[in-house]
Amino acid sequence: MPRRPRQCPPGLPVHVVQRGNNQQVCFASDSDLKAYANWLTEAAEKYGVAIHAWVFMTNHVHLLMTPSSSNAISNCMQDLGRLYVRYFNYRYQRTGTLFEGRFKSNVVQSQNYLLGCQRYMELNPVRAGMVVDPADYTWSSYRVHAFGRGSRMWRPHPEYLALGENNSTRWSVYRELFAGQA
């Protein structure tokens, strides 16, 4: 029986989760994370996927993405997986699967939920006890949204841009969304 096609309608943001097989580590060093981020950025550009938010944990990733075509996210993640798994297996002298099956995806249909989804993602390292403040975690989009740190990967979502008329207002309002959460 063939797998059901992904529901990633063009123009709608999608929350993507990709987990390590058996909860195993997928990123063992900063260089692993840099390689993944680089290939993700290239694949997103190649297939017309806007990346709005992310967090890379040791054994899984969360991405908030908007595709420009119905199979853009699937193609992006497939390209990324091919490159990264080959790299990881070679580097750590291992074979076999790294991620547990296909990535999971959920369309973010409500505009009100988009920023809540971003907050959920960017608080992941805090909930995991890795940091006290989301600003202390290097591998998430929090510093981009809250302080304007540049990222080649990032494409702001209109919902984020609507937080303020200028960057400093946007950053301040975004940080307030996290008040008491850290």
Side-chain angles (χ1 to χ4, degrees), residues 31-174:
S31 55
D32 295 345
L33 290 156
K34 287 176 187 171
Y36 185 90
N38 181 60
W39 286 321
L40 172 60
T41 302
E42 289 176 359
E45 289 172 2
K46 179 178 178 180
Y47 292 105
V49 176
I51 302 171
H52 310 300
W54 62 89
V55 64
F56 305 152
M57 304 294 284
T58 55
N59 67 351
H60 70 284
V61 299
H62 288 269
L63 304 166
L64 185 59
M65 313 165 89
T66 299
S68 61
S69 65
S70 60
N71 55 354
I73 289 177
S74 291
N75 290 336
C76 174
M77 296 304 288
Q78 188 175 46
D79 252 20
L80 172 61
R82 270 193 217 110
L83 291 167
Y84 185 73
V85 172
R86 186 180 315 132
Y87 155 86
F88 191 87
N89 283 349
Y90 178 79
R91 179 169 181 168
Y92 297 102
Q93 299 177 351
R94 63 182 299 280
T95 60
T97 188
L98 180 61
F99 297 110
E100 66 175 26
R102 295 192 303 169
F103 63 90
K104 310 289 186 262
S105 62
N106 293 299
V107 175
V108 179
Q109 294 182 10
S110 166
Q111 289 182 345
N112 295 334
Y113 178 65
L114 185 115
L115 294 175
C117 182
Q118 277 188 207
R119 187 172 56 242
Y120 167 79
M121 290 167 51
E122 293 171 351
L123 283 171
N124 223 308
V126 175
R127 285 191 305 275
M130 299 168 81
V131 294
V132 174
D133 186 318
D136 295 334
Y137 193 72
T138 303
W139 298 103
S140 88
S141 53
Y142 179 78
R143 290 193 260 180
V144 174
H145 293 116
F147 300 104
R149 179 175 176 244
S151 173
R152 189 171 67 103
M153 184 183 332
W154 183 59
R155 300 293 173 267
H157 190 276
E159 201 64 26
Y160 169 77
L161 294 174
L163 291 176
E165 291 184 16
N166 59 51
N167 286 332
S168 62
T169 302
R170 236 177 260 122
W171 301 334
S172 177
V173 170
Y174 195 79

